[in-house]
Amino acid sequence: MTEAVAPSAITPRGLELGGSAPDDFDAVAMARATLRKARIAALATLDPMSGFPLATLTNIATDVDGSPLFLASKLSLHTRNIEADPRVSVLVSSLGKGDPLANSARLSVVGRAERCADENARRRFLARHPKAKLYADFPDFSLFRLSVQGFHPNGGFARAGEIAVGAVLLDLAGCEALIAAEDDAIAHMNEDHAEALSLYATKLLGLPEGRWKVTGLDPEGLDLICGDENGRLVFPSRVTEPAGLRHVLVALAQEARARG
């Protein structure tokens, strides 16, 4: 069977028209935002008996670099399929008003599903999906991480493209101190800085008021949730260590307060 080849460069194109995408279509920014904000995804696996794809629905989160994470039971058909052939794709979308094909950003990600034993990845997934704590420790459940081989973003009519994997996933070189401090930093923000988190969500992101919490952080931003709502706070500059994180968060809180 022919392997899918990941694109080697950013090549946005207007698929519906056969021409170029609009100048205001930032395929990389759209892909990153859509992936980080997604909480559910359509998961497509290959049936080993028929060869046909099977599409199912799954909860999703992202690892620090942006790689998709999902939890699956070995009792499910898609896990059986993954064990036979790890090639999968996931589709995530940020549904808006009106025609979803014209107005909604969506992103297809292709790659290989690999079991993931990383504790920080597990924490990130469970922070994104707290109810999964009820069954995540069952012996038939495993956390999977998608080893990405390609991205295909689509922002609506004439806004489609292909993106190099390295243009979307983050290079974490030099960010070891930040990654090591992630758990403590998140706990500190959630326990001691609820007001700042609310300001980020309501004043900077235009989201409704509520008890906002951080589920993950990375060099480019914070992932926030409040019930069924979620948001992505993008930093004004890349952060690589805890001191820089504190500086950026203080500055963003001041900006949010200034907006009244």
Side-chain angles (χ1 to χ4, degrees):
M1 188 175 292
T2 304
E3 293 281 349
V5 179
S8 60
I10 303 173
T11 55
R13 63 185 190 273
L15 294 183
E16 294 88 347
L17 300 179
S20 299
D23 292 339
D24 64 349
F25 177 52
D26 187 336
V28 171
M30 191 220 80
R32 286 182 174 178
T34 304
L35 185 57
R36 290 291 190 181
K37 292 174 67 177
R39 297 180 73 175
I40 60 170
L43 169 67
T45 58
L46 295 173
D47 187 305
M49 302 301 293
S50 68
F52 286 105
L54 171 75
T56 55
L57 197 64
T58 187
N59 288 333
I60 195 169
T62 54
D63 208 346
V64 180
D65 69 347
S67 297
L69 302 167
F70 62 93
L71 192 67
S73 167
K74 66 181 180 182
L75 302 178
S76 65
L77 289 176
H78 52 243
T79 303
R80 180 205 66 181
N81 292 351
I82 289 170
E83 289 175 342
D85 188 333
R87 290 177 298 170
V88 305
S89 69
V90 296
L91 171 66
V92 294
S93 177
S94 56
L95 294 177
K97 296 181 179 180
D99 183 355
L101 296 183
N103 303 320
S104 297
R106 58 262 193 198
L107 177 71
S108 295
V109 189
V110 298
R112 297 178 183 274
E114 301 172 347
R115 279 187 168 82
C116 178
D118 182 77
E119 285 301 318
N120 193 53
R122 175 184 172 83
R123 184 206 59 76
R124 291 175 65 92
F125 181 88
L126 293 178
R128 195 75 168 167
H129 302 284
K131 292 182 180 179
K133 294 176 184 178
L134 297 173
Y135 50 82
D137 290 329
F138 290 180
D140 59 298
F141 274 90
S142 297
L143 183 68
F144 286 86
R145 187 179 192 271
L146 189 58
S147 177
V148 180
Q149 295 187 5
F151 290 103
H152 181 82
N154 191 316
F157 187 71
R159 290 172 179 265
E162 293 175 347
I163 312 178
V165 171
V168 178
L169 298 185
L170 302 184
D171 181 357
L172 299 179
C175 300
E176 292 80 7
L178 180 70
I179 296 171
E182 183 184 6
D183 283 5
D184 290 341
I186 290 174
H188 175 64
M189 286 186 286
N190 287 338
E191 293 170 7
D192 300 330
H193 295 286
E195 179 195 8
L197 297 180
S198 179
L199 288 170
Y200 298 151
T202 58
K203 302 300 182 182
L204 300 183
L205 301 179
L207 296 167
E209 293 185 2
R211 190 177 179 183
W212 288 92
K213 288 184 173 294
V214 181
T215 62
L217 67 85
D218 57 76
E220 295 201 338
L222 291 180
D223 298 319
L224 304 170
I225 64 166
C226 177
D228 292 332
E229 297 281 349
N230 65 87
R232 171 71 172 174
L233 180 68
V234 178
F235 298 149
S237 59
R238 181 179 169 90
V239 173
T240 60
E241 39 79 31
L245 175 65
R246 287 192 294 271
H247 176 78
V248 166
L249 292 177
V250 168
L252 288 172
Q254 292 173 342
E255 178 185 344
R257 290 189 180 96
R259 296 189 183 186

